C-alpha cells in the first residue's frame, strides 16, 4: 500500500515547473491585454486631440490668411500695382516679419493665377503648342484639343478630331458633354482622350495632368502676367507670339540667373524691351501683360499630427475673375459676352470693407 500512496501524493501536487509556466502565461496574457488597451487608448486620445486642436488650427490658419491679404494689399498701395512675387508678396510672413507660434508649423503658398494661360481665352493653336511642349506628339495633341474645345463650347458641332453627344452617349454609362466652361479639373476625366493621357489606369493624375493645370487657369480670362509665368507658359508664349524667351528669362532671373531669389527683376513698363509687343496694340500683347490681381492662396497649419488646410482665391480691383463668376452664376460663354460678368454673390471681401473679393474659400480641400 505504501508505494501506491506515494505515487498518489505525487499526482496530487503539481510540479513547480508547471506552476511557473501557468504564472508566466498569465503574465503574458495580461501584458498583451494591457498593450492592446494602451494602443486603443492612444488612438482615441489622438483622434480626440485632432478635433480639440481643430479650432486653434483654424484660427491660426485664418490669421495667416489675413496676414497674407494685408501684405499683398500694402504692396499694392505702395507700388500702385501688383506685378510679381519679387515685390515681396511671395513670402508674406518674411515681408511682415511675423513668426508663427512656436508649436505651429505654417506654410503659405501664393500662386498668381494670371501667370497661367486662361482656359477661356485659349485658342486651338495655343492648346496644340501647349500639348506638344508637354511631350504629347502633334498627331495626338490635335484630338485632345478638339475634344476639349467641343466639351466646352456651346454648340453640338463636332470638330474634325473632337467629340460631342453622339460619342459620349455611346459610353457605358452614357452622358452628355457639358457644352460650358470647365468647373473643376476633375471634369477632365470625362473628356475624350484625357482619361488615358492625363490619368493612369487607376485614375490617378499623372505628369501630363500636373503640367497642364500648372500652365492653365480656370479662374480668369486675362492675358498672362509674364512676371510670374513659369517656364512652360513662357515657352508656349514664345512659340505663339514670338517672345524672346531667352532674353526675357535672363532679365527676370536677375544676375544670379535663378528664379525666386532676392535679385529677381520685374517688368513694370509696357514699353520695356522685353515686354511682348512693346508699344504696339496700346502697349499690350494679345496674350501677355505685366500685372496681376488674382491669387490662389493655400495656408497649411500643423501642430504635431493635427493639421488644417485653408484655400482661397481672391481678386483685387482690376482683375477679371471669369471662372469664379461662372461657378456661382449660370455658366456664361464667350459667345454671350466678351468678358464674363462678375458675380455679386462672390464679393465677400468688399462686403466686409476689404479692398479685394474672396471668390472661393475652402477648408481642408485644395482648390
Amino acid at each position: 500500500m505504501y508505494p501506491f500512496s506515494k505515487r498518489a501524493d505525487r499526482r496530487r501536487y503539481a510540479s513547480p515547473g508547471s506552476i511557473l509556466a501557468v504564472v508566466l502565461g498569465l503574465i503574458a496574457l495580461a501584458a498583451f491585454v494591457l498593450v492592446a488597451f494602451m494602443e486603443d487608448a492612444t488612438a482615441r486620445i489622438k483622434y480626440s486631440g485632432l478635433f480639440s486642436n481643430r479650432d486653434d488650427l483654424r484660427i491660426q490658419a485664418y490669421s495667416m490668411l489675413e496676414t497674407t491679404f494685408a501684405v499683398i494689399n500694402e504692396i499694392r498701395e505702395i507700388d500702385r500695382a501688383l506685378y510679381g512675387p519679387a515685390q515681396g508678396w511671395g513670402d508674406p510672413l518674411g515681408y511682415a516679419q511675423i513668426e508663427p507660434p512656436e508649436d505651429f508649423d505654417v506654410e503659405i503658398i501664393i500662386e498668381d493665377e494670371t501667370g497661367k494661360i486662361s482656359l477661356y481665352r485659349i485658342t486651338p493653336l495655343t492648346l496644340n503648342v501647349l500639348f506638344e511642349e508637354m511631350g504629347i506628339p502633334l498627331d495626338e495633341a490635335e484630338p485632345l484639343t478638339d475634344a476639349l474645345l467641343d466639351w466646352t463650347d456651346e454648340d453640338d458641332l463636332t470638330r474634325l478630331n473632337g467629340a460631342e453627344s453622339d460619342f459620349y452617349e455611346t459610353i457605358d454609362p452614357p452622358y452628355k458633354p457639358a457644352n460650358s466652361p470647365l468647373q473643376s479639373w476633375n471634369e477632365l476625366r470625362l473628356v475624350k482622350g484625357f482619361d488615358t493621357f492625363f490619368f493612369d489606369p487607376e485614375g490617378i493624375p499623372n505628369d501630363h495632368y500636373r503640367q497642364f493645370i500648372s500652365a492653365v487657369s480656370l479662374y480668369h480670362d486675362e492675358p498672362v502676367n509674364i512676371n510670374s509665368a513659369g517656364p512652360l507658359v513662357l515657352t508656349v508664349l514664345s512659340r505663339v507670339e514670338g517672345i524672346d524667351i531667352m532674353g526675357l528669362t535672363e532679365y527676370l532671373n536677375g544676375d544670379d540667373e535663378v528664379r525666386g531669389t532676392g535679385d529677381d527683376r520685374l517688368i513694370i513698363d509696357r514699353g520695356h524691351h522685353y515686354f511682348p509687343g512693346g508699344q504696339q496694340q496700346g502697349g499690350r500683347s494679345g496674350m501677355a501683360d505685366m500685372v496681376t490681381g488674382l491669387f490662389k492662396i493655400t495656408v497649411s497649419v500643423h501642430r504635431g499630427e493635427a493639421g488644417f488646410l485653408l484655400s482661397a482665391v481672391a481678386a483685387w480691383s482690376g482683375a477679371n475673375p471669369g471662372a469664379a463668376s461662372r461657378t456661382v452664376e449660370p455658366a456664361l460663354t464667350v459667345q454671350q459676352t466678351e468678358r464674363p460678368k462678375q458675380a455679386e454673390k462672390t464679393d465677400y471681401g468688399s462686403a466686409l470693407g476689404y479692398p479685394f473679393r474672396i471668390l472661393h474659400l475652402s477648408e481642408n480641400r485644395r482648390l
Side-chain angles (χ1 to χ4, degrees):
M1 296 293 296
Y2 176 74
F4 176 78
S5 299
K6 188 174 182 179
R7 285 195 298 272
D9 289 342
R10 283 200 296 266
R11 288 195 300 269
R12 188 179 300 121
Y13 300 103
S15 65
S18 300
I19 296 174
L20 180 60
V22 171
V23 171
L24 291 176
L26 291 174
I27 293 174
L29 178 61
F32 175 79
V33 172
L34 180 61
V35 170
F37 172 78
M38 292 180 65
E39 288 179 349
D40 181 67
T42 301
R44 289 176 180 272
I45 291 172
K46 286 183 177 180
Y47 183 77
S48 300
L50 292 177
F51 285 92
S52 63
N53 287 332
R54 185 177 184 275
D55 288 342
D56 291 342
L57 294 170
R58 188 171 186 265
I59 291 171
Q60 191 64 37
Y62 274 95
S63 175
M64 294 295 101
L65 180 63
E66 289 199 357
T67 298
T68 302
F69 287 154
V71 166
I72 294 174
N73 196 64
E74 178 175 300
I75 292 173
R76 176 178 172 271
E77 291 292 327
I78 293 173
D79 293 348
R80 303 295 183 89
L82 295 167
Y83 298 106
Q87 288 176 287
W89 49 258
D91 179 19
L93 296 185
Y95 179 92
Q97 298 183 355
I98 292 177
E99 288 288 339
E102 186 175 348
D103 54 342
F104 286 90
D105 293 322
V106 177
E107 181 185 24
I108 301 176
I109 299 175
I110 303 176
E111 298 177 66
D112 176 6
E113 280 296 310
T114 57
K116 305 174 185 179
I117 302 169
S118 167
L119 190 59
Y120 306 98
R121 295 172 57 97
I122 205 163
T123 63
L125 171 62
T126 305
L127 264 177
N128 282 332
V129 171
L130 174 58
F131 290 142
E132 282 190 80
E133 290 299 330
M134 289 166 48
I136 300 175
L138 180 60
D139 60 338
E140 296 175 321
E142 289 179 341
L144 291 176
T145 294
D146 287 352
L148 182 58
L149 294 177
D150 275 343
W151 181 270
T152 57
D153 65 17
E154 278 191 312
D155 59 55
D156 289 323
L157 301 176
T158 305
R159 289 175 168 79
L160 179 62
N161 298 296
E164 286 285 357
S165 296
D166 55 353
F167 170 80
Y168 294 107
E169 289 176 351
T170 63
I171 297 176
D172 186 21
Y175 55 91
K176 291 183 177 292
N179 286 338
S180 64
L182 291 182
Q183 300 299 306
S184 75
W185 294 123
N186 284 330
E187 202 173 328
L188 290 175
R189 299 174 184 274
L190 304 175
V191 182
K192 177 185 177 183
F194 284 79
D195 55 338
T196 55
F197 272 96
F198 279 44
F199 304 90
D200 67 15
E202 285 72 39
I204 300 174
N206 58 22
D207 286 337
H208 285 151
Y209 174 93
R210 287 184 283 272
Q211 284 182 292
F212 186 73
I213 67 172
S214 72
V216 179
S217 175
L218 296 176
Y219 296 106
H220 74 93
D221 69 345
E222 295 287 335
V224 175
N225 177 15
I226 59 174
N227 286 310
S228 55
L232 177 58
V233 173
L234 290 178
T235 301
V236 172
L237 291 181
S238 71
R239 289 185 55 183
V240 175
E241 296 230 323
I243 294 175
D244 179 7
I245 185 174
M246 291 187 62
L248 174 61
T249 302
E250 289 178 0
Y251 177 82
L252 294 175
N253 290 351
D255 294 333
D256 64 1
E257 301 181 358
V258 178
R259 196 76 174 270
T261 55
D263 68 340
D264 286 3
R265 302 190 186 102
L266 296 167
I267 292 179
I268 61 174
D269 179 6
R270 291 188 174 89
H272 193 282
H273 175 69
Y274 289 119
F275 183 78
Q279 296 293 342
Q280 301 173 12
Q281 303 175 8
R284 290 178 73 123
S285 172
M287 286 185 63
D289 203 350
M290 62 180 194
V291 294
T292 185
L294 189 65
F295 300 94
K296 183 163 67 176
I297 303 168
T298 304
V299 180
S300 177
V301 181
H302 286 85
R303 182 166 62 183
E305 295 186 10
F308 188 88
L309 183 70
L310 182 62
S311 301
V313 176
W316 269 254
S317 61
N320 189 28
S325 301
R326 292 184 172 95
T327 61
V328 177
E329 294 183 330
L332 301 175
T333 64
V334 176
Q335 288 81 0
Q336 291 173 307
T337 177
E338 183 178 355
R339 284 188 178 277
K341 297 177 182 178
Q342 297 177 5
E344 294 180 1
K345 292 181 181 179
T346 62
D347 201 0
Y348 306 123
S350 296
L352 298 173
Y354 293 153
F356 52 82
R357 299 183 303 284
I358 301 175
L359 307 171
H360 291 276
L361 194 62
S362 174
E363 296 182 358
N364 292 321
R365 184 177 67 86
R366 291 186 182 274
L367 293 176

